[in-house]
Amino acid sequence: MLSKLIVIAIVSPALLAACSRPEPLQTSTVAPVAATAASITDQAVIAETVGRAAVGSDPLAWANPSTGSAGVIEQVRPGTNNPNGCRDFVTSKQSLEGVTRFNGVACPADGSWKINGSSGLH
């Protein structure tokens, strides 16, 4: 035999009144978060990746969280026209604009790496 359980809840009128009264929420004040750092360009990410890579290394993935772009550096070779430690490279770039390939030259400069000339990267 199955027995049925019936629950009767008795709610006080004061509780119902408290739930139905529109009162503003009390919230704490939160200070705005300061910008952490200036956004990094794809050129800077690629140049640093090329600079850390060994010449002739296997393909290297790169990603820029500031722009959402990513790609693969397919080739890193010694720079042909620059004796300053520059490196020639070929990379792909995937972004909202699509997939593109670039040839470029990255050179050491002031403790970091920079892309020389206009490679079409931003």
Side-chain angles (χ1 to χ4, degrees):
M1 220 194 262
L2 294 174
S3 62
K4 294 182 181 180
L5 179 62
I6 299 175
V7 177
I8 299 174
I10 300 175
V11 180
S12 74
L15 182 59
L16 286 175
C19 292
S20 63
R21 198 171 3 160
E23 292 184 17
L25 288 174
Q26 292 184 9
T27 59
S28 60
T29 304
V30 177
V33 177
T36 55
S39 62
I40 300 169
T41 65
D42 293 341
Q43 279 189 340
V45 172
I46 292 168
E48 289 299 323
T49 304
V50 169
R52 286 192 309 268
V55 172
S57 65
D58 291 334
L60 300 167
W62 64 270
N64 185 349
S66 295
T67 63
S69 299
V72 176
I73 298 170
E74 299 166 13
Q75 299 174 12
V76 177
R77 298 180 308 266
T80 54
N81 296 329
N82 294 310
N84 301 337
C86 295
R87 299 176 178 180
D88 295 335
F89 67 91
V90 177
T91 187
S92 62
K93 176 183 172 184
Q94 299 171 354
S95 66
L96 291 175
E97 290 85 31
V99 179
T100 51
R101 287 176 49 102
F102 296 96
N103 297 329
V105 178
C107 297
D110 300 325
S112 65
W113 286 77
K114 306 276 188 239
I115 292 180
N116 283 356
S118 174
S119 64
L121 294 169
H122 304 291

